[in-house]
Amino acid sequence: MTITRRNALIAGAGLATTAIAPFSATPLRAQQTKLKWAHVYETAEPYHTDALWAASEIAKRTNGKYQIEVFPASQLGNENQINEALGLGTVDIIYTGVAFAGSIHRPIAITNAPYVLRDFNHWRAYRDSPLFRQIASGYEGRTRHKVTALTYYGERHVTANRAINKPEDMRGMKLRVPPAPLFLMFTKSVGANATPIAFAEVYLALQQGTVDGQENPLPTIMAKKFYEVQSHIMLTGHITESLLSIVGSHIWARLNDAEKKIFSDVLMEAASRASNQIRESEQKLAEEFRKLGKTVISPDRAAFRAAAVPLHNDAASGAGWSKAEYDALQGLASSS
């Protein structure tokens, strides 16, 4: 077949169109990145509502480039599973308790040692300290994930179907604790039998008598309705709990400096908002539980603390931090 100059020009134009079209479409596809944020908390809790706020704010500040969908209530797995998923890159952002991150870098779980923090102001001083950033950087070095914020989860308290006033009252008790090693330090200090159960399964375990009790902050006890299957709430305040906001390494490495600042700023603000709401809520809830007919007990905290302190630097009981880190934490002045 004879190829004329006109046919060659037409064919060339077609090839040019074919070659150009994918390149012109590529920037349009790259304009939006969809991310998954996973956590185990209920939709009404501040962790979730402020995660939704953060997702909206990040979308706004990045001109729609990053669209974050938040998956609450263990929809993408329990806490161990979402930590694994972050490493696999199948989720992009998580909330996780410091004890779970501590399975990778043990010092980051230091605030889960029972009675290692004096009060909320001591927790806040730690959050804002170089010590927290130093410890977080150790986790980041091991994982390449980015720790962006620390959120107040509240003082953890024990619930049961009987009164507990002193550590000896918990001896032999089957106590549900999160499936993270450091929680064994508290159960060891009081002689309870630790029963690790995933968060989503706790209500049923209490209802069926698989365990005698559990321990969580008052806002969580209310949100998860544990009070429906437990008659007594003991204000032990044994652990001042925190959640980390962590961005996966596969995402953090792709962000430019301006985007990293946006993610850090927004996630820190979301953490501060949730922390303030949780702190305000837990100060009111004891009376709300009394109105619901629950027995609320203020046990001998000094006795509980005396039982726990000797284990703070005991590696066999779960301690994984240096004495220097422990002393630095104890030396922080409580912020007012």
Side-chain angles (χ1 to χ4, degrees):
M1 184 176 77
T2 303
I3 300 176
T4 65
R5 183 172 182 275
R6 179 173 178 275
N7 287 340
L9 287 172
I10 292 171
L15 288 171
T17 302
T18 303
I20 291 169
F23 290 98
S24 63
T26 299
L28 294 176
R29 288 198 297 267
Q31 281 177 359
Q32 190 178 96
T33 300
K34 293 185 177 180
L35 306 180
K36 294 179 179 179
W37 183 341
H39 67 79
V40 300
Y41 306 103
E42 297 301 314
T43 56
E45 293 185 86
Y47 318 112
H48 181 68
T49 56
D50 282 301
L52 294 178
W53 173 85
S56 173
E57 197 68 14
I58 286 171
K60 183 169 67 177
R61 296 191 195 185
T62 61
N63 296 316
K65 181 176 179 180
Y66 292 98
Q67 300 289 325
I68 301 172
E69 185 174 1
V70 184
F71 294 85
S74 305
Q75 288 178 11
L76 298 185
N78 63 35
E79 203 149 6
N80 277 323
Q81 289 167 336
I82 64 175
N83 272 274
E84 291 171 4
L86 192 71
L88 294 171
T90 53
V91 301
D92 307 302
I93 305 171
I94 63 170
Y95 281 134
T96 189
V98 295
F100 289 87
S103 66
I104 297 172
H105 182 62
R106 295 179 72 185
I108 207 166
I110 189 170
T111 52
N112 264 161
Y115 300 101
V116 75
L117 291 174
R118 295 183 293 275
D119 51 30
F120 174 73
N121 289 332
H122 191 195
W123 173 86
R124 191 164 55 181
Y126 171 67
R127 176 198 65 185
D128 298 336
S129 70
L131 176 63
F132 169 61
R133 184 36 56 194
Q134 170 195 322
I135 290 175
S137 68
Y139 171 88
E140 292 166 350
R142 286 177 174 268
T143 63
R144 303 303 174 195
H145 303 325
K146 180 63 179 178
V147 175
T148 59
L150 192 69
T151 302
Y152 182 65
Y153 188 69
E155 287 190 337
R156 299 183 79 100
H157 305 292
V158 173
T159 69
N161 287 321
R162 59 182 175 84
I164 294 169
N165 290 289
K166 55 188 184 301
E168 293 78 10
D169 294 339
M170 294 186 67
R171 195 165 291 150
M173 176 183 181
K174 289 185 294 182
L175 184 70
R176 180 272 169 180
V177 294
L182 190 57
F183 282 92
L184 303 182
M185 186 181 289
F186 173 63
T187 55
K188 184 176 181 179
S189 74
V190 297
N193 294 323
T195 309
I197 295 174
F199 194 49
E201 301 166 14
V202 177
Y203 186 99
L204 188 61
L206 293 170
Q207 188 178 50
Q208 295 182 340
T210 305
V211 291
D212 302 317
Q214 65 84 48
E215 47 81 63
N216 260 298
L218 297 181
T220 303
I221 294 167
M222 180 64 82
K224 298 293 286 186
K225 301 185 186 301
F226 295 148
Y227 64 89
E228 292 181 345
V229 286
Q230 299 271 268
S231 59
H232 289 62
I233 299 170
M234 277 59 67
L235 302 178
T236 51
H238 52 278
I239 293 172
T240 301
E241 181 68 281
S242 306
L243 302 181
L244 297 161
S245 301
I246 306 178
V247 180
S249 58
H250 59 289
I251 299 300
W252 192 254
R254 290 164 48 188
L255 302 179
N256 62 39
D257 288 345
E259 290 167 347
K260 286 177 179 176
K261 186 176 189 311
I262 289 169
F263 272 68
S264 293
D265 288 351
V266 171
L267 294 176
M268 285 180 67
E269 187 173 347
S272 180
R273 288 161 56 107
S275 296
N276 292 338
Q277 291 174 70
I278 290 297
R279 178 60 177 163
E280 182 179 353
S281 173
E282 73 177 355
Q283 291 177 307
K284 301 175 181 176
L285 279 172
E287 187 55 35
E288 292 300 314
F289 285 119
R290 290 188 181 99
K291 290 178 181 177
L292 289 168
K294 303 292 118 176
T295 301
V296 180
I297 294 173
S298 295
D300 183 356
R301 281 200 190 188
F304 276 93
R305 187 176 191 282
V309 168
L311 302 180
H312 280 179
N313 292 295
D314 177 14
S317 300
W321 40 86
S322 69
K323 185 65 163 54
E325 288 167 332
Y326 177 81
D327 289 344
L329 177 60
Q330 294 305 308
L332 288 174
S334 298
S335 62
S336 57

